[in-house]
Amino acid sequence: MRRPVTGEVHVHYGQIHVESDPAGTTPGLPEAFAGQNGGLCGAAVPGALWLHTGLHTGDVGFVVEVHDTPPALDPAWEDVVEVSFRPVSERTSLVQWAGEAAWDLDLPRTDYRVRYCARGMDRGRERDTRVRGEPQADSYLLQFWPAPPRPDRVVRQTSQNAAYWHRYARDLPPPPTPEQRAETERLARQAQERAAEERRVHHEQWQWGGRLPSQTLRDARESNVLGLLRFDSDLVHALDAAGPGVQRAVALLAARRACEAAGLTDVSWVAEALTALAHKRPLPPPFDDTTRMWETLRCDPRVPERSVLEAIPPERPPYRPPIPADRALHQQQATAAVTAGRKRKWVSATQSGEGTPSRPGLGRGLGALVPAAPADRSTTPAAGTGHDAAVVVHTCGSPREPSQIAQPYFALPAVLAAAEPVPLKAALDAVWHALNTYGEHYPELLEEIRSACAEGAGE
C-alpha cells in the first residue's frame, strides 16, 4: 500500500476532484453523478471523480491510498461509498478547485474500485469555513485497488449532509448512453468546425476588401496582391475579372508609367525592354540577369536621381472577428443598459450646464516601408531576392513619417513583373511596383489603371 496524499488539502465550494483527462476538463455536477445511487463520489464521466466535502471552504483532513487488494473498512468512518474508475491517460491527479494545487496519484491505466470515506461531514457543513488556527472539522479517505467495473453503492450513511447528496444523485435523470454521448460529441465537433470555417471566411472577406476572392486570386498569393489590396481592393478584383488581354495591357501600361515616373524612358536599354514588352518578346539584356540589371542601373550615368515620398495606403480599421450569436445578444443587452444610463447622465449634464463629452481621436495605420537607395545610388536590392522583394509591407507598428525612396530602383521591378508568363500575376505585380514608384502620387496611377480596366471590360 502507498499513500500519495496525506495530511490536509484545501477545498472550496465543498468539492475536490480526481482528473486524468490531459485537457484538465472537470465535468459538471449533474453530469458527474448522473445514474448513480450515491452522491458523495461522482464517477459517471470516464476518467474523473467529483468528491463532496462537508466544509465549504478551508482545509480538511485528506488521505489517498493505493492498494493491491481490497482494504478492510475501518468502522470509524461515518459515511462510505464505492464507485468504479479507470484513468483515461497516464497521469491521474487529485486536483483542488480551479486547479489551485494538484497531487500526482501515479495510477496505471486499469480498472479500479474506489472507496470514499468521510468523517465529520455535518460538523464541516455547520462550520462552513475553516480559518487558520481552528481545529479540523471533517476528514476523508480515498482508496483505490484493482477491480472490474460494477455499479456504485452506498456502504454506510450517517450524516445528514451525505443523505442530502445521495437524494440529489438518485433524483437526476439517467446518464446518456455511449451512443448518445458519441452523437453529442460529433455534433459539438461539427459546430466547432462550422464556427472555425465561418471565422476563416469572415477574415478572408475582410482581407480581400469585403468580398471573397476567386480561385485565381487565391492562386496569385505568391504575387504582391496582398500589398495591393491595402491600397485598392476594388482594383484587385477588377483586374481579376478582366480577361488576359486586358491584364497584359495593364501590366505594360504600369511598367511604362513606372519608367516614365522614374525618368528611365530615355535610357536606351530600358526603352528597348519596354518595346520588347509591347511586342511580346523576351526582355533583352540586362533584364535577363537581375544582378547585371541592378549593376547597370547603378553605373549608368544617364539614370536620373529621382526620389519621392513613399506610398502610404489609406487608413483601415483593424480586423474584428465575428461575435457568436449568444455573445452578441448579451453585448446588445449590456450596451442598451449602458446607453440608457448615459442618456440619463447626459440629460443631467446638459441641465447643469456642463460641456459635452469629447470624442477620442483615431490612430493612423502604418503604410508600406520601402528601401531607399542612397544619394550615390550604390545600394541595390539584396542578391537573390528578385523583383518581388523590392517593397516590404508592414501591416502593424507605430505611425511614422514617410521615407524618401529612389524611384529608378522601384521602376525596373515593374518591367520584370510585366514579363511574367501568367497575365494576372503580371498585372498585379506591375501595378504594385508602379504604385510604389509613384510613391505619394500613387492615386494618379491607380485612377489611370482603373480607367484602362473599365475600357477593356467594355470592349
Side-chain angles (χ1 to χ4, degrees), residues 364-367 396-401:
R364 180 180 175 214
L366 182 63
C396 61
S398 303
R400 60 173 177 78
E401 293 299 320

Side-chain angles (χ1 to χ4, degrees), residues 127 130-136:
R127 174 80 59 84
R130 180 190 177 196
V131 297
R132 183 174 297 179
E134 290 184 341
Q136 190 180 95

Side-chain angles (χ1 to χ4, degrees), residues 42-368:
V45 176
L49 296 177
W50 181 305
L51 307 171
H52 279 302
T53 63
L55 193 72
H56 181 279
T57 302
D59 292 340
V60 298
F62 209 98
V63 175
V64 178
E65 296 179 348
V66 181
H67 298 259
D68 294 329
T69 58
L73 176 59
D74 187 338
W77 295 106
E78 301 167 352
D79 294 286
V80 181
V81 297
E82 289 184 1
V83 298
S84 290
F85 172 77
R86 183 183 180 89
V88 295
S89 74
E90 299 299 329
R91 187 178 183 88
T92 302
S93 303
L94 178 71
V95 182
Q96 287 184 181
W97 185 83
E100 295 171 343
W103 296 262
D104 186 8
L105 303 184
D106 192 23
L107 294 179
R109 294 181 66 177
T110 189
D111 291 313
Y112 293 92
R113 193 63 175 172
V114 180
R115 180 184 294 158
Y116 185 46
C117 307
R119 183 169 48 231
M121 287 197 79
D122 286 344
R123 289 196 305 273
R125 176 62 177 164
E126 184 178 354
R127 174 80 59 84
D128 186 76
T129 301
R130 180 190 177 196
V131 297
R132 183 174 297 179
E134 290 184 341
Q136 190 180 95
D138 47 344
S139 57
Y140 302 87
L141 172 65
L142 187 65
Q143 297 173 311
F144 294 83
W145 66 91
R150 61 181 187 271
D152 77 295
R153 72 186 186 110
V154 176
V155 179
R156 183 179 299 158
Q157 176 191 316
T158 302
S159 69
Q160 294 181 359
N161 195 284
Y164 168 84
W165 286 118
H166 295 331
R167 287 194 301 271
Y168 170 82
R170 292 162 190 163
D171 290 342
L172 288 172
T177 64
E179 293 76 17
Q180 291 171 330
R181 193 187 300 275
E183 177 64 9
T184 300
E185 293 174 353
R186 185 187 69 81
L187 293 176
R189 285 195 301 271
Q190 281 187 347
Q192 291 175 350
E193 292 168 359
R194 186 164 53 249
E197 176 62 14
E198 289 173 356
R199 290 193 299 270
R200 185 198 66 77
V201 170
H202 186 271
H203 181 268
E204 188 176 35
Q205 265 186 317
W206 173 85
Q207 186 181 43
W208 291 87
R211 70 183 92 170
L212 290 175
S214 67
Q215 188 57 49
T216 54
L217 274 180
R218 288 193 181 98
D219 294 341
R221 280 181 177 270
E222 294 183 359
S223 68
N224 287 292
V225 61
L226 297 183
L228 188 56
L229 276 171
R230 299 182 65 231
F231 285 86
D232 194 332
S233 60
D234 288 340
L235 178 59
V236 168
H237 291 285
L239 285 171
D240 178 44
V246 175
Q247 293 164 354
R248 281 292 175 202
V250 166
L252 176 59
L253 174 63
R256 185 172 295 279
R257 291 293 182 262
C259 291
E260 290 172 355
L264 296 177
T265 51
D266 293 333
V267 178
S268 59
W269 52 276
V270 176
E272 291 173 4
L274 293 174
T275 300
L277 283 176
H279 291 86
K280 300 179 182 179
R281 298 196 303 262
L283 293 177
F287 288 88
D288 56 346
D289 184 334
T290 54
T291 301
R292 183 181 171 193
M293 179 191 73
W294 294 122
E295 182 65 19
T296 303
L297 180 68
R298 187 182 69 84
C299 297
D300 193 333
R302 295 170 297 176
V303 174
E305 295 184 3
R306 289 193 181 182
S307 65
V308 70
L309 290 177
E310 65 177 298
I312 301 293
E315 201 171 303
R316 186 182 187 189
Y319 173 68
R320 298 186 183 280
I323 302 175
D326 55 343
R327 285 180 54 197
L329 177 60
H330 176 74
Q331 288 189 7
Q332 288 174 1
Q333 293 171 341
T335 301
V338 171
T339 303
R342 285 177 177 169
K343 285 181 179 178
R344 290 191 295 272
K345 184 177 180 181
W346 173 251
V347 171
S348 174
T350 304
Q351 292 171 349
S352 64
E354 297 177 7
T356 59
S358 61
R359 296 177 58 192
L362 297 176
R364 180 180 175 214
L366 182 63

Side-chain angles (χ1 to χ4, degrees), residues 298 305 373-379 409:
R298 187 182 69 84
E305 295 184 3
D376 60 2
R377 304 188 333 230
S378 61
T379 300
Y409 287 87

